[in-house]
């Protein structure tokens, strides 16, 4: 990877088949992709995140309060920190998971640190490739 643009291109290719596909919302570090979560992917009978069903349903097919995100931070020493998971939209606070019931997706939080871009690229290709 020779540039930020190359790294963005790689991640865009690796996440292109996600449904819904995350969209790049920050082209400068920290890089960030965000996507909504389908209403039907949240278990309101358990309500793990204590969401208001009426409010969440008001946007149609997507949850109002929770989305998925991928964030990549580049540190001054050339190391990277990678985040992938769900977040509260208003606060951008990461959540550990979306659901605990087996019939629903959990979107468990991934947070990893890498000493250099080569380690990061290998991880991304293994995770998504």
């Amino acid at each position: 990877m020779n540039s930020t643009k190359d790294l963005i291109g790689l991640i865009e290719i690796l996440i292109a088949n996600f449904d819904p596909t995350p969209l790049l919302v920050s082209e400068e570090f920290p890089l960030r992709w965000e996507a909504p979560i389908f209403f039907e992917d949240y278990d309101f009978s358990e309500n793990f995140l204590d969401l208001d069903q009426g409010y969440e349903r008001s946007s149609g097919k997507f949850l109002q309060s929770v989305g998925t995100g991928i964030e990549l931070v580049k540190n001054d020493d050339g190391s990277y920190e990678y985040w992938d998971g769900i977040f509260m939209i208003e606060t951008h606070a990461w959540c550990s998971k979306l659901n605990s019931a087996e019939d629903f997706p959990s979107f468990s939080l991934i947070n990893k640190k890498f000493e250099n871009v080569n380690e990061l690229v290998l991880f991304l290709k293994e995770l998504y490739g």
Side-chain angles (χ1 to χ4, degrees):
M1 292 287 119
N2 294 326
S3 69
T4 303
K5 191 173 184 175
D6 292 338
L7 195 51
I8 290 171
L10 172 65
I11 293 172
E12 295 268 321
I13 289 168
L14 294 173
I15 64 173
N17 292 327
F18 290 9
D19 184 23
T21 303
L23 300 175
L24 183 63
V25 295
S26 175
E27 295 183 27
E28 296 180 15
F29 286 102
L31 303 174
R32 188 171 178 93
W33 289 260
E34 294 180 2
I37 296 174
F38 291 109
F39 183 85
E40 64 196 29
D41 286 338
Y42 187 70
D43 182 4
F44 277 98
S45 66
E46 177 190 55
N47 205 1
F48 186 77
L49 296 176
D50 196 30
L51 302 179
D52 178 292
Q53 187 170 356
Y55 174 73
E56 298 304 325
R57 192 176 285 283
S58 68
S59 69
K61 62 182 181 177
F62 298 114
L63 295 172
Q64 288 278 90
S65 300
V66 185
T68 62
I70 296 171
E71 186 171 275
L72 183 59
V73 177
K74 183 177 182 182
N75 299 310
D76 292 338
D77 65 359
S79 65
Y80 293 85
E81 186 168 7
Y82 177 82
W83 296 83
D84 182 350
I86 59 165
F87 67 97
M88 300 305 291
I89 291 172
E90 289 183 17
T91 63
H92 276 232
W94 294 102
C95 303
S96 61
K97 61 184 173 178
L98 183 64
N99 296 295
S100 63
E102 290 182 16
D103 295 340
F104 290 87
S106 67
F107 294 102
S108 296
L109 181 62
I110 298 171
N111 177 227
K112 297 245 182 213
K113 295 180 182 180
F114 303 94
E115 290 186 26
N116 56 56
V117 72
N118 293 332
E119 287 181 8
L120 170 66
V121 168
L122 288 173
F123 171 78
L124 292 172
K125 288 180 177 179
E126 183 178 307
L127 181 65
Y128 299 120

